[in-house]
Amino acid sequence: MSQVSEEREDRVDVPEPVPAEKPEPVQKVSRAGRNLPAAIGVGLLLGAAIITSLLTVRFLFIGIIAIAIAVGTIELAGALKRAAGIRIALVPVLVGGQAMIWLAWPYGREGALTAFVLTVLVCLLWRLPGGADGYLRDISASVFAAAYIPLFGAFAAMLVPPEDGVGRVLAFMIGVVASDTGGYIAGVLGGKHPMAPTISPKKTWEGFAGSLVAGVVAGALTLSLLIDGHAWQGVLFGAAIVCTATLGDLVESLIKRDLGVKDMGNMLPGHGGLMDRLDSLLPSAVVSWLLLSAFVPV
């Protein structure tokens, strides 16, 4: 018995090896840094909604603008509050923003600018009960939000009322989409030289060249085919849209870097927030209205 006991004591229990867990598959990320199928799907849905409104009752497009402006304003206000503790006067900016959009329909620039000035005045009063701490910061952000989103958006609404309003809106939208698409394809395929590495590292000069080619072609075609314009005017129009769309994208990238956020929101799969789609459209709307009013007067 003692010999058996000694053998049992000498025996060391070795635990059975635990099977190694299978490593989780690494998800491939596109060179564009976003979910490309989702981005394309969302873009097609938004495009379908816009085209449907223009081809049925074109003034429905103003309603789409109004909804987009409201959502974009809420996203910007949320990002400012979360990242920097900045509180814009959200109610006055939302209400005033809708006034800018809808008054731009019958009254044009005068209606939009009047609504903007009144919005600024209400913001000054709205913030008074909050005291002096952060007053200038919050008011500055409120005025910036009112100008950057609804006032710029009002120029898109002003493209609709003329008889050829559908063509004007399509020229504006197609120009921005062509710029974005041309820049995306050229940047993914051959982008090597960063355009503004400290602001948007993925934006390259090769991508900008692609945007310029696509935008100029789109401008020449849309102005000569959709409205009573000339091809050379379309070339200038397309080049201007590419510059403003690129500038708008860089400006929003700079705002997000300042706030330390990746996207303004997450409501659009593959795109981020709605503001991440409006960034190139808003300044382009202003330039579109100015150039189309000069090239093809109503």
Side-chain angles (χ1 to χ4, degrees), residues 216-270:
V216 164
V217 171
L221 291 175
T222 53
L223 260 72
S224 59
L225 298 177
L226 297 179
I227 56 180
D228 192 18
H230 301 288
W232 68 266
Q233 294 173 329
V235 170
L236 296 178
F237 176 81
I241 292 300
V242 169
C243 291
T244 53
T246 302
L247 176 64
D249 188 43
L250 290 174
V251 166
E252 204 213 10
S253 294
L254 199 57
I255 292 171
K256 290 190 291 187
R257 283 189 174 275
D258 187 22
L259 295 177
V261 299
K262 184 177 183 295
D263 294 314
M264 286 293 186
N266 56 10
M267 71 172 296
L268 299 179

Side-chain angles (χ1 to χ4, degrees), residues 119-128 135 139 143:
T119 299
V120 173
L121 289 175
V122 174
C123 287
L124 294 173
L125 296 173
W126 189 271
R127 181 58 179 76
L128 281 178
Y135 180 83
I139 288 299
V143 175

Side-chain angles (χ1 to χ4, degrees), residues 62-94:
I62 298 179
I64 293 177
I65 295 172
I67 294 172
I69 291 303
V71 174
T73 301
I74 293 171
E75 287 183 347
L76 178 61
L80 290 171
K81 183 178 179 181
R82 290 191 306 270
I86 300 174
R87 298 175 180 270
I88 73 169
L90 184 57
V91 173
V93 174
L94 280 175

Side-chain angles (χ1 to χ4, degrees), residues 168-201:
R168 291 172 185 263
V169 173
L170 287 176
F172 154 58
M173 297 295 296
I174 291 173
V176 175
V177 171
S179 173
D180 187 35
T181 304
Y184 172 78
I185 294 174
V188 169
L189 295 180
K192 295 180 180 179
H193 300 88
M195 190 176 187
T198 60
I199 300 175
S200 183

